[in-house]
Amino acid sequence: MARLELSNLHAEVAEGDEKILEGVDLEVESGEIHALMGPNGSGKSTTAKVIAGHPAYEVTEGEVLLHLEDEEFGEDIEIDEDQRTWNLLDLEPNERAALGIFLGFQYPAEIEGVTMTNFLRTALNAKIEEREELFEEEEGEDVEEEDEGFESSPMEGPADEGEVGVAEFQQILQEKMEQLDMDEKFAQRYLNAGFSGGEKKQNEVLQAAILEPSVAVLDEIDSGLDIDRLQDVSEGINALRDEQGTGILQITHYQRILDYVEPDHVHVMLDGQIAKSGGPELAEKLEDKGYDWVREDVYGTA
Amino acid sequence: MSSDQDHLKETDTEARFEFKKEENSAVKSDKGLTEEVIRMISEDKDEPDWMLERRLRALEQYQNMPMPSDWPGMPDLSELDVEEIIPYIRPDVDKREGVDDWTELPDEIKDTFDKLGIPEAEKNALSGVGAQYESEVVYQNMQEQWEEKGVIFCNMDEAVREHPELVKEHFMTTCVPPSDNKFAALHGAVWSGGSFVYVPEDVTVEMPVQAYFRMNSEGMGQFEHTLIIAEEGSEVHYIEGCSAPKYGTHNLHSGGVEVFVGEDAHVQYSTVQNWSKNTFNLNTKRAICEENGTMEWVSGSMGSKVTMLYPCTILKGRGSTDTHITIALAGEGQDIDTGAKVYHNAPDTSSTIESKSISKDGGRTNYRGLVHIADGAENASTAVECDALMFDNESTSDTMPYMEIEESKVDVAHEATVGKIGDEDIFYLQSRGLDDDDAKKMIVAGFIEPITEELPIEYAVELNRLIELEMEGSLG
């Protein structure tokens, strides 16, 4: 089990003092699905980026904590008491990823020349390695300096000890792609380059499936999808939760995806705060009545 | 020498520069580029008179030509004093029988070979381990294979002695005459070493002809000449790896490459170069393509203080084809001015130029290209694509594509993109678990992928590794 906890989170744009988040409180546990809804500009995407550590935002107040339990790291591992809670705001984005945070992008970057296979295997190995470092460092053990430069090279050789090798990885990738109904030729395509909107979203879910995060924040993963693709992507998200116990924070504008990915909790964000929380019925009400009634409800004005 | 070894890992350009000066301070003679110096070089090589005459004629032309000065945005050559540099040729000539500084390749590169599982013999040859022995064997074996087919691959100095007719006809005559430019003239006067490749009609040399081996045992001149003659219907891939000079001393490198592509012949010339940061790298490389011939240039240019290099193809025969793929990387204090030249002198000719550049820490890259389509070259087509990647706001990148189109029935395309390495791209990779350094390296590795995929794996690895080494220290 893992629990992501945002408390009284305030953030602004790093260059400038435009305030975007004004006290967000939110908890997502592994195995749960939370929907985060709200009008444009209410701070949903910023919340996602701040969790993942985007450098464009500066946190001025509050905390983002990740609580871990033993089973997060396999049955034989016992996490020290003082390493069960991490303040993500002290960590680099890649360290957050290593601890099990995943951000699914609305507009993922296109990286030419880097094949999906190479990228995903590199990412998976980087995560394994970083995780070891994070936990070993704290114990004061000598952490071997790893940066020989080969890890990121597409011309990588056989796997080092503890790494996932090429053959092993191919198998993992193939399996996950089949689950998501992705064409196997994706493996050799360049990361997101020339992907359609739907393919990009599928790719985000594929990455989550391979990196097995504790908590996945999916930023409008449903935008621009036709109904077939929406179903594929939704199945992928449900599988993350059902098979890996991933906690999902699903950011969306629309009720549509929630027909397939049924949330345990729905939160409405207004002006940089969670204005209202409820169950799935809240999403339906939003679909019918828009956001104004929430504003009215909360602030007493329309 | 263990200080050499340490030095190899040194990324500080200043230290490298100082190191060189020390090494050379012992040799200070024969100052100035004079007839005597040229005669001395020629005599030292035991050359026939006709070559000496060509050298002297080239010297005269060199002395009569002004330094280039009127190119827009051209690199600053004011610190280049050829008269001061010439004395350094002499020691290089002396050492040509067996420089083995090469044995001390960085461990990282050897490790890469290990990781790749490259066969022991090849690894030894490539990494220069026992260059005097094992690589000779490898080289010898390959040479025998080629000789049976009539292929000649030897040192250029040797070619002058052993194959005078071929050399007489092709050496700096129609392809790169000394009159071409000041540095071609200089090259014609002082050239030394290099490779000679001759492929007879309809012979395909299946494996790439690599200049690495020979350079281990023979040493590398600063003015090496490469002459490739591919007869009708033949095919050859010539690869030159020049990363060694990164660890050697070269104040001025002015190489010459001439390629003759016969009818229906196919030549690929690939090079990965990484010069020390105090080098002025001023070269002339040209190919002449007969009917339906194909010329491909693949080059990675790194290191040097200034590089001016524009490999040129003259599409002389109908239906001939040219491809250029180049990559340049410029760091602090470096001005890498490279590009391509193509002359479409016949109908149905086509060319493709793909240029990639990376600049960081205030370095400058420039694409300078010329595509000329002559009157009457109907149905000629050309596509030029320049992509520049910048690491920071101090670095610069320019694109200067010239198109001279004298024929109306042609297809011309030019595309250029310039971008700063994207923060969003880096964040995306970081959010997947890569640290900042590895994210940048991955983006750069992807950026240069079109080059690396054209190269045999060991060169591709080395190119990647060199770029990673160049990037280290500037990152994080």
Side-chain angles (χ1 to χ4, degrees):
Chain A
M1 288 286 276
R3 191 174 78 251
L4 176 67
E5 188 184 331
L6 280 59
S7 60
N8 192 31
L9 188 63
H10 287 69
E12 57 189 38
V13 177
E15 287 169 23
D17 52 4
E18 191 194 343
K19 287 185 173 53
I20 301 183
L21 301 187
E22 309 211 37
V24 179
D25 294 291
L26 188 65
E27 274 188 41
V28 180
E29 276 197 30
S30 33
E32 293 179 344
I33 296 183
H34 291 246
L36 182 60
M37 305 182 76
N40 281 333
S42 57
K44 305 188 296 296
S45 286
T46 301
T47 304
K49 286 176 178 168
V50 168
I51 292 169
H54 196 293
Y57 302 97
E58 194 184 328
V59 172
T60 51
E61 210 182 324
E63 285 182 321
V64 179
L65 301 177
L66 184 68
H67 308 281
L68 301 173
E69 298 293 337
D70 289 348
E71 56 265 41
E72 278 300 305
F73 290 82
E75 283 164 13
D76 302 333
I77 294 170
E78 200 175 303
I79 305 174
D80 280 1
E81 202 59 48
D82 59 355
Q83 295 188 326
R84 285 175 186 255
T85 300
W86 295 80
N87 186 352
L88 296 187
L89 300 178
D90 295 338
L91 301 173
E92 294 295 320
N94 61 308
E95 294 173 321
R96 301 183 196 198
L99 289 175
I101 297 294
F102 181 90
L103 174 59
F105 287 67
Q106 188 179 1
Y107 304 108
E110 300 189 7
I111 316 281
E112 287 281 356
V114 175
T115 62
M116 292 275 295
T117 306
N118 175 36
F119 160 67
L120 284 169
R121 192 170 79 89
T122 305
L124 186 58
N125 284 325
K127 179 176 170 172
I128 293 168
E129 198 172 337
E130 186 64 54
R131 207 176 250 212
E132 274 171 15
E133 277 181 34
L134 279 170
F135 286 89
E136 279 171 16
E137 244 166 7
E138 292 289 319
E139 286 167 22
E141 281 179 23
D142 273 347
V143 178
E144 210 179 300
E145 192 47 59
E146 42 72 51
D147 192 17
E148 290 294 319
F150 299 117
E151 282 74 19
S152 64
S153 164
M155 246 63 69
E156 223 173 343
D160 288 339
E161 217 183 324
E163 273 193 356
V164 179
V166 176
E168 186 189 348
F169 181 74
Q170 289 289 2
Q171 218 162 5
I172 299 173
L173 182 60
Q174 205 177 347
E175 210 174 286
K176 299 287 185 190
M177 288 201 312
E178 268 170 34
Q179 277 176 13
L180 279 161
D181 201 20
M182 289 175 83
D183 195 312
E184 62 183 62
K185 69 174 188 283
F186 267 86
Q188 289 314 313
R189 284 175 68 179
Y190 294 151
L191 179 56
N192 289 322
F195 282 31
S196 71
E199 287 168 345
K200 283 181 185 167
K201 300 298 161 63
Q202 258 178 324
N203 191 13
E204 294 296 283
V205 178
L206 172 69
Q207 291 176 38
I210 283 169
L211 296 173
E212 304 195 348
S214 325
V215 176
V217 182
L218 305 176
D219 191 2
E220 299 203 22
I221 203 101
D222 52 341
S223 70
L225 295 184
D226 62 33
I227 191 74
D228 289 341
R229 197 79 81 168
L230 182 66
Q231 283 177 354
D232 287 343
V233 166
S234 300
E235 270 172 40
I237 296 170
N238 287 326
L240 284 180
R241 195 255 307 256
D242 298 342
E243 287 167 27
Q244 298 170 12
T246 303
I248 310 280
L249 180 59
Q250 175 75 59
I251 295 173
T252 184
H253 264 307
Y254 307 105
Q255 160 69 25
R256 201 173 62 143
I257 191 171
L258 305 180
D259 291 339
Y260 303 100
V261 179
E262 205 181 321
D264 304 300
H265 305 275
V266 175
H267 312 276
V268 183
M269 200 162 192
L270 287 179
D271 309 323
Q273 286 179 323
I274 304 286
K276 200 172 190 65
S277 296
E281 74 289 343
L282 177 56
E284 283 161 33
K285 196 169 174 186
L286 290 169
E287 182 81 355
D288 291 342
K289 302 173 67 176
Y291 294 109
D292 284 349
W293 70 271
V294 182
R295 199 177 292 273
E296 224 167 306
D297 224 33
V298 177
Y299 302 117
T301 56
Chain B
M1 196 159 69
S2 69
S3 65
D4 265 2
Q5 188 68 37
D6 294 341
H7 184 74
L8 303 186
K9 291 172 181 158
E10 192 63 77
T11 48
D12 180 44
T13 53
E14 198 61 34
R16 194 181 294 151
F17 184 75
E18 291 305 324
F19 173 76
K20 300 307 175 234
K21 276 173 83 172
E22 228 172 278
E23 284 291 292
N24 279 308
S25 58
V27 192
K28 276 273 181 184
S29 59
D30 297 318
K31 218 172 185 179
L33 181 54
T34 60
E35 196 178 316
E36 283 65 48
V37 172
I38 303 302
R39 284 183 186 279
M40 184 185 71
I41 294 170
S42 188
E43 192 181 336
D44 194 54
K45 292 175 178 299
D46 202 13
E47 282 178 350
D49 287 346
W50 62 266
M51 183 50 85
L52 174 62
E53 278 160 27
R54 283 192 192 185
R55 285 183 185 275
L56 293 174
R57 212 161 48 230
L59 175 67
E60 204 185 317
Q61 283 168 313
Y62 169 76
Q63 284 163 342
N64 290 331
M65 270 188 252
M67 286 284 272
S69 61
D70 56 345
W71 297 16
M74 76 172 281
D76 180 9
L77 298 179
S78 61
E79 282 178 55
L80 171 64
D81 186 345
V82 176
E83 295 301 310
E84 284 299 316
I85 283 168
I86 288 307
Y88 293 117
I89 298 170
R90 178 66 178 144
D92 253 19
V93 172
D94 277 350
K95 279 195 279 183
R96 77 180 191 282
E97 291 305 329
V99 177
D100 60 358
D101 298 344
W102 243 93
T103 57
E104 303 190 333
L105 258 193
D107 289 340
E108 294 91 334
I109 292 175
K110 291 177 195 160
D111 286 349
T112 312
F113 291 140
D114 283 339
K115 282 197 165 191
L116 285 162
I118 286 178
E120 198 66 21
E122 193 174 358
K123 193 165 71 188
N124 287 341
L126 284 167
S127 59
V129 177
Q132 312 292 322
Y133 307 102
E134 290 93 333
S135 66
E136 279 303 311
V137 176
V138 175
Y139 171 57
Q140 213 62 48
N141 285 345
M142 286 205 270
Q143 206 174 28
E144 273 167 32
Q145 260 182 29
W146 294 327
E147 273 170 2
E148 280 168 25
K149 294 177 172 177
V151 176
I152 303 167
F153 177 37
C154 66
N155 184 298
M156 197 61 223
D157 293 321
E158 192 184 319
V160 173
R161 294 192 298 268
E162 306 289 327
H163 310 283
E165 292 316 309
L166 282 170
V167 177
K168 235 183 199 171
E169 184 187 339
H170 296 94
F171 186 91
M172 299 194 80
T173 52
T174 53
C175 194
V176 181
S179 58
D180 188 80
N181 65 72
K182 190 166 177 78
F183 291 98
L186 174 68
H187 175 84
V190 302
W191 77 272
S192 175
S195 305
F196 177 72
V197 179
Y198 177 82
V199 188
E201 242 179 87
D202 296 324
V203 169
T204 298
V205 182
E206 288 91 0
M207 61 184 301
V209 178
Q210 308 190 2
Y212 248 123
F213 304 99
R214 229 164 26 72
M215 285 198 291
N216 292 348
S217 50
E218 300 284 323
M220 266 252 340
Q222 291 173 314
F223 303 93
E224 83 284 355
H225 193 91
T226 304
L227 176 55
I228 300 170
I229 304 166
E231 298 283 16
E232 192 177 331
S234 67
E235 194 171 333
V236 63
H237 182 181
Y238 174 84
I239 299 184
E240 199 175 76
C242 295
S243 65
K246 180 181 182 183
Y247 316 115
T249 308
H250 296 272
N251 292 322
L252 170 62
H253 170 253
S254 189
V257 175
E258 299 183 280
V259 184
F260 292 87
V261 185
E263 265 182 54
D264 297 308
H266 185 156
V267 177
Q268 181 174 340
Y269 173 96
S270 304
T271 177
V272 175
Q273 308 209 335
N274 188 28
W275 303 98
S276 59
K277 301 271 162 60
N278 60 338
T279 300
F280 286 87
N281 183 34
L282 312 165
N283 301 279
T284 309
K285 301 186 178 187
R286 187 169 304 153
I288 297 178
C289 255
E290 304 294 339
E291 198 168 314
N292 291 322
T294 302
M295 180 66 206
E296 290 182 72
W297 300 95
V298 177
S299 54
S301 296
M302 272 164 289
S304 84
K305 179 180 179 61
V306 168
T307 285
M308 293 175 78
L309 170 61
Y310 324 96
C312 169
T313 298
I314 297 169
L315 296 170
K316 185 180 159 199
R318 179 185 279 268
S320 53
T321 306
D322 169 66
T323 308
H324 278 88
I325 303 177
T326 69
I327 176 162
L329 180 119
E332 189 183 352
Q334 291 181 276
D335 190 342
I336 310 289
D337 200 282
T338 66
K341 282 201 278 188
V342 186
Y343 290 89
H344 289 258
N345 290 350
D348 304 321
T349 47
S350 64
S351 62
T352 311
I353 297 168
E354 196 175 342
S355 160
K356 302 232 171 207
S357 69
I358 301 165
S359 48
K360 63 174 185 82
D361 302 333
R364 173 187 186 251
T365 60
N366 181 31
Y367 168 80
R368 194 186 296 275
L370 170 67
V371 176
H372 179 95
I373 299 183
D375 187 12
E378 283 189 355
N379 299 321
S381 70
T382 181
V384 182
E385 191 181 332
C386 308
D387 299 323
L389 191 62
M390 282 179 284
F391 267 89
D392 47 59
N393 295 328
E394 287 73 48
S395 303
T396 56
S397 182
D398 300 308
T399 303
M400 299 180 183
Y402 294 82
M403 301 271 191
E404 296 172 357
I405 317 291
E406 293 171 359
E407 168 62 45
S408 57
K409 221 180 143 190
V410 296
D411 188 3
V412 176
H414 174 81
E415 198 180 316
T417 65
V418 178
K420 196 180 158 208
I421 192 162
D423 291 341
E424 289 301 320
D425 293 354
I426 292 167
F427 177 64
Y428 185 69
L429 298 181
Q430 283 181 306
S431 76
R432 299 301 184 250
L434 277 67
D435 65 27
D436 185 55
D437 262 23
D438 284 341
K440 285 176 180 165
K441 284 175 185 172
M442 179 170 263
I443 290 167
V444 171
F447 183 73
I448 64 168
E449 203 267 351
I451 307 277
T452 51
E453 75 172 356
E454 289 290 325
L455 295 170
I457 186 118
E458 65 270 26
Y459 285 85
V461 166
E462 185 169 347
L463 180 64
N464 266 310
R465 189 70 195 121
L466 283 171
I467 286 182
E468 284 183 4
L469 282 170
E470 288 293 320
M471 282 165 45
E472 263 157 34
S474 74
L475 303 180

